[in-house]
Amino acid sequence: MGLAAHKIEPDLREQFRYMIHDRVDKWVDQIIDEVFEDDKQPTIMELSELFAKTKQKFFGACFQALIEQKYAGLLEQEYVSCPKCGKMCKKRRDNKKEMVTMQGQSELKRPWFYCSDCSYGFSPLDKVLEISRKKYQFDVQKKSTKTTAEVPFCCSSELFEDLTGHRISDHFMHDTFEQVGAQTCLADVIPGQAEIEKRCREAAGDVWRPVLVVAADGAHVPTRVKAKRNEKRGAGRWQEAKGFRIYLLGQDRIIHLASWHQIQNEEQFGKDLAWVASRIPQHQVRIALLGDGAEWLWKHMTHCFPKGRQVLDFYHCVEHIYKVSNVQYGENSRQALEWVESTVCRLFFAEVSNVIGGLGRMKPKDNEAKEEIRKLIGYLDHNRDRIHYQGDRIGGYPIGSGGIESANKFICHTRLKRSGAWWVKETGNEMLRIRCAIYNGTYDKVFDKYKGVCLHQKNL
Ligand SMILES: [Zn+2]
């Protein structure tokens, strides 16, 4: 292409320098007018606000000048070959593009071509610069979407303006967020295989293979049916976001590998877990599977990690014991605490049959206690092969699923469970995917994919 060979002539640089100096002069004039007028004594805050107010215009103009000089060749093109069929096309007109980047507002007049054979219109400069069809360019979209993933829709645009000086509508932020989320899938959110293997090597000790923890859990998310404007929304309902977190126990810290949460059924959860499991070098690690008593998660965890050591989450187990002690002996009574302590201690040493025997001999205080005792016996009996906490400790395995609880809290609860917020399932899942990506360190990858799709689509 003639353009790549186009040498930057020294006078282009000089022209750019001249244009920038011109912009600087204009900006300085503005500052002088504001600051040196009369005997004003502006404070730090006032001066900073003045800079914030004026710099977007200044930088936006510099930005524009830079593009105009750097891409002068493309801006002056009269003929160019059609990217689809190769036919030579003549410039039809100059098209104006208003755009906002994080640097401010700029305007670009660039030539527009049309191939009548392909019925295809295009601007070669747009491709080189990766110009978004939206007014707010990808750098803004990337930051605004991340902001939206952190704070509620209703205040994200205000916060964004406070922090960046750019006023973007709630609507734009919401739409862009949904478009990014819609393009995102499991494969984008989970780190690549090379990265996973690298982290596994990092966690490896001198003698033992590192412990890889697979923990699964459900979190309830308030959902509602998608309704049109002015249409009754109907009653919301709680649906389970099923999720897993996979992490390594390093020498003195947790090394996170991947989190994934979606409002979905058990079958889809199993598929997703299997996909991730296939990317983990299972023979290089010792695997611990952690969960509460929910059967759906054990079914899929053991299927995907057949060599995993199953550990019933200690804290969930203790919670069940507290439930019985409270109804049987009264909440926080001394008797209750003593009973909990001895029961937990015996479970720690894996005396499950002993504990079950003791529960069987208990004389229930009332029907409620009777029912709770019955449930606890069933729970312990069902999970007895997963209770071996002392052995876990000795082997360096975890016994508590604090790792998934904190991920759950960070990924689901802090953003999805806000008072008054009811989520349409699709939007909730978009939110979860983007939040998982941020947590997994794959947001850049996720956004790049969205950008790629936008650039190749005709109408986005
Ligand atoms: Zn063509």
PDB file of all heavy atoms in Angstrom, residues 231-243:
ATOM      1  N   GLU A 231     -45.484  -1.510  31.016  1.00  0.00           N
ATOM      2  CA  GLU A 231     -46.133  -2.800  31.221  1.00  0.00           C
ATOM      3  C   GLU A 231     -45.865  -3.216  32.660  1.00  0.00           C
ATOM      4  O   GLU A 231     -44.807  -2.924  33.200  1.00  0.00           O
ATOM      5  CB  GLU A 231     -45.497  -3.814  30.264  1.00  0.00           C
ATOM      6  CG  GLU A 231     -46.363  -4.994  29.925  1.00  0.00           C
ATOM      7  CD  GLU A 231     -45.681  -5.867  28.873  1.00  0.00           C
ATOM      8  OE1 GLU A 231     -44.574  -6.347  29.150  1.00  0.00           O
ATOM      9  OE2 GLU A 231     -46.239  -6.039  27.790  1.00  0.00           O
ATOM     10  N   LYS A 232     -46.815  -3.889  33.247  1.00  0.00           N
ATOM     11  CA  LYS A 232     -46.610  -4.340  34.622  1.00  0.00           C
ATOM     12  C   LYS A 232     -45.468  -5.343  34.672  1.00  0.00           C
ATOM     13  O   LYS A 232     -45.360  -6.215  33.822  1.00  0.00           O
ATOM     14  CB  LYS A 232     -47.898  -4.999  35.150  1.00  0.00           C
ATOM     15  CG  LYS A 232     -48.723  -4.065  35.987  1.00  0.00           C
ATOM     16  CD  LYS A 232     -49.641  -4.868  36.898  1.00  0.00           C
ATOM     17  CE  LYS A 232     -50.312  -3.950  37.905  1.00  0.00           C
ATOM     18  NZ  LYS A 232     -51.407  -4.594  38.591  1.00  0.00           N
ATOM     19  N   ARG A 233     -44.611  -5.166  35.649  1.00  0.00           N
ATOM     20  CA  ARG A 233     -43.459  -6.047  35.729  1.00  0.00           C
ATOM     21  C   ARG A 233     -43.801  -7.409  36.308  1.00  0.00           C
ATOM     22  O   ARG A 233     -43.111  -8.380  36.076  1.00  0.00           O
ATOM     23  CB  ARG A 233     -42.383  -5.413  36.602  1.00  0.00           C
ATOM     24  CG  ARG A 233     -41.632  -4.322  35.864  1.00  0.00           C
ATOM     25  CD  ARG A 233     -40.617  -3.714  36.775  1.00  0.00           C
ATOM     26  NE  ARG A 233     -39.633  -2.941  36.020  1.00  0.00           N
ATOM     27  CZ  ARG A 233     -38.537  -2.442  36.560  1.00  0.00           C
ATOM     28  NH1 ARG A 233     -38.281  -2.642  37.835  1.00  0.00           N
ATOM     29  NH2 ARG A 233     -37.690  -1.752  35.839  1.00  0.00           N
ATOM     30  N   GLY A 234     -44.814  -7.471  37.084  1.00  0.00           N
ATOM     31  CA  GLY A 234     -45.165  -8.739  37.713  1.00  0.00           C
ATOM     32  C   GLY A 234     -44.258  -9.026  38.896  1.00  0.00           C
ATOM     33  O   GLY A 234     -43.277  -8.320  39.131  1.00  0.00           O
ATOM     34  N   ALA A 235     -44.598 -10.051  39.636  1.00  0.00           N
ATOM     35  CA  ALA A 235     -43.833 -10.353  40.837  1.00  0.00           C
ATOM     36  C   ALA A 235     -42.471 -10.919  40.472  1.00  0.00           C
ATOM     37  O   ALA A 235     -42.333 -11.668  39.517  1.00  0.00           O
ATOM     38  CB  ALA A 235     -44.608 -11.360  41.681  1.00  0.00           C
ATOM     39  N   GLY A 236     -41.483 -10.516  41.227  1.00  0.00           N
ATOM     40  CA  GLY A 236     -40.148 -11.047  41.003  1.00  0.00           C
ATOM     41  C   GLY A 236     -39.980 -12.377  41.719  1.00  0.00           C
ATOM     42  O   GLY A 236     -40.820 -12.780  42.512  1.00  0.00           O
ATOM     43  N   ARG A 237     -38.922 -13.079  41.377  1.00  0.00           N
ATOM     44  CA  ARG A 237     -38.649 -14.295  42.130  1.00  0.00           C
ATOM     45  C   ARG A 237     -37.143 -14.469  42.285  1.00  0.00           C
ATOM     46  O   ARG A 237     -36.354 -13.911  41.508  1.00  0.00           O
ATOM     47  CB  ARG A 237     -39.290 -15.507  41.472  1.00  0.00           C
ATOM     48  CG  ARG A 237     -38.650 -15.911  40.155  1.00  0.00           C
ATOM     49  CD  ARG A 237     -39.461 -17.024  39.494  1.00  0.00           C
ATOM     50  NE  ARG A 237     -38.941 -17.320  38.184  1.00  0.00           N
ATOM     51  CZ  ARG A 237     -38.254 -18.429  37.890  1.00  0.00           C
ATOM     52  NH1 ARG A 237     -38.020 -19.333  38.825  1.00  0.00           N
ATOM     53  NH2 ARG A 237     -37.806 -18.642  36.679  1.00  0.00           N
ATOM     54  N   TRP A 238     -36.779 -15.228  43.286  1.00  0.00           N
ATOM     55  CA  TRP A 238     -35.366 -15.461  43.536  1.00  0.00           C
ATOM     56  C   TRP A 238     -34.922 -16.666  42.730  1.00  0.00           C
ATOM     57  O   TRP A 238     -35.564 -17.702  42.749  1.00  0.00           O
ATOM     58  CB  TRP A 238     -35.136 -15.698  45.028  1.00  0.00           C
ATOM     59  CG  TRP A 238     -35.373 -14.454  45.829  1.00  0.00           C
ATOM     60  CD1 TRP A 238     -36.583 -13.968  46.234  1.00  0.00           C
ATOM     61  CD2 TRP A 238     -34.399 -13.525  46.271  1.00  0.00           C
ATOM     62  NE1 TRP A 238     -36.411 -12.786  46.910  1.00  0.00           N
ATOM     63  CE2 TRP A 238     -35.072 -12.497  46.954  1.00  0.00           C
ATOM     64  CE3 TRP A 238     -33.000 -13.458  46.159  1.00  0.00           C
ATOM     65  CZ2 TRP A 238     -34.411 -11.412  47.524  1.00  0.00           C
ATOM     66  CZ3 TRP A 238     -32.348 -12.383  46.732  1.00  0.00           C
ATOM     67  CH2 TRP A 238     -33.050 -11.367  47.412  1.00  0.00           C
ATOM     68  N   GLN A 239     -33.834 -16.486  42.016  1.00  0.00           N
ATOM     69  CA  GLN A 239     -33.276 -17.613  41.271  1.00  0.00           C
ATOM     70  C   GLN A 239     -31.844 -17.814  41.720  1.00  0.00           C
ATOM     71  O   GLN A 239     -31.180 -16.882  42.157  1.00  0.00           O
ATOM     72  CB  GLN A 239     -33.296 -17.324  39.775  1.00  0.00           C
ATOM     73  CG  GLN A 239     -34.678 -17.394  39.168  1.00  0.00           C
ATOM     74  CD  GLN A 239     -34.602 -17.433  37.645  1.00  0.00           C
ATOM     75  OE1 GLN A 239     -34.160 -18.386  37.045  1.00  0.00           O
ATOM     76  NE2 GLN A 239     -35.031 -16.350  37.027  1.00  0.00           N
ATOM     77  N   GLU A 240     -31.391 -19.045  41.543  1.00  0.00           N
ATOM     78  CA  GLU A 240     -30.060 -19.343  42.026  1.00  0.00           C
ATOM     79  C   GLU A 240     -29.001 -19.064  40.968  1.00  0.00           C
ATOM     80  O   GLU A 240     -29.099 -19.546  39.839  1.00  0.00           O
ATOM     81  CB  GLU A 240     -29.976 -20.804  42.464  1.00  0.00           C
ATOM     82  CG  GLU A 240     -28.731 -21.083  43.283  1.00  0.00           C
ATOM     83  CD  GLU A 240     -28.749 -22.480  43.896  1.00  0.00           C
ATOM     84  OE1 GLU A 240     -29.135 -23.432  43.214  1.00  0.00           O
ATOM     85  OE2 GLU A 240     -28.365 -22.595  45.062  1.00  0.00           O
ATOM     86  N   ALA A 241     -28.006 -18.270  41.367  1.00  0.00           N
ATOM     87  CA  ALA A 241     -26.807 -18.146  40.527  1.00  0.00           C
ATOM     88  C   ALA A 241     -25.878 -19.252  40.999  1.00  0.00           C
ATOM     89  O   ALA A 241     -25.491 -19.301  42.154  1.00  0.00           O
ATOM     90  CB  ALA A 241     -26.160 -16.784  40.716  1.00  0.00           C
ATOM     91  N   LYS A 242     -25.584 -20.155  40.097  1.00  0.00           N
ATOM     92  CA  LYS A 242     -24.708 -21.268  40.452  1.00  0.00           C
ATOM     93  C   LYS A 242     -23.295 -20.898  40.016  1.00  0.00           C
ATOM     94  O   LYS A 242     -23.091 -20.453  38.890  1.00  0.00           O
ATOM     95  CB  LYS A 242     -25.159 -22.554  39.759  1.00  0.00           C
ATOM     96  CG  LYS A 242     -26.520 -23.039  40.251  1.00  0.00           C
ATOM     97  CD  LYS A 242     -26.923 -24.321  39.540  1.00  0.00           C
ATOM     98  CE  LYS A 242     -28.159 -24.933  40.163  1.00  0.00           C
ATOM     99  NZ  LYS A 242     -29.335 -24.031  40.094  1.00  0.00           N
ATOM    100  N   GLY A 243     -22.373 -21.089  40.930  1.00  0.00           N
ATOM    101  CA  GLY A 243     -21.032 -20.646  40.588  1.00  0.00           C
ATOM    102  C   GLY A 243     -19.950 -21.536  41.138  1.00  0.00           C
ATOM    103  O   GLY A 243     -20.193 -22.369  42.008  1.00  0.00           O
TER     104      GLY A 243
END
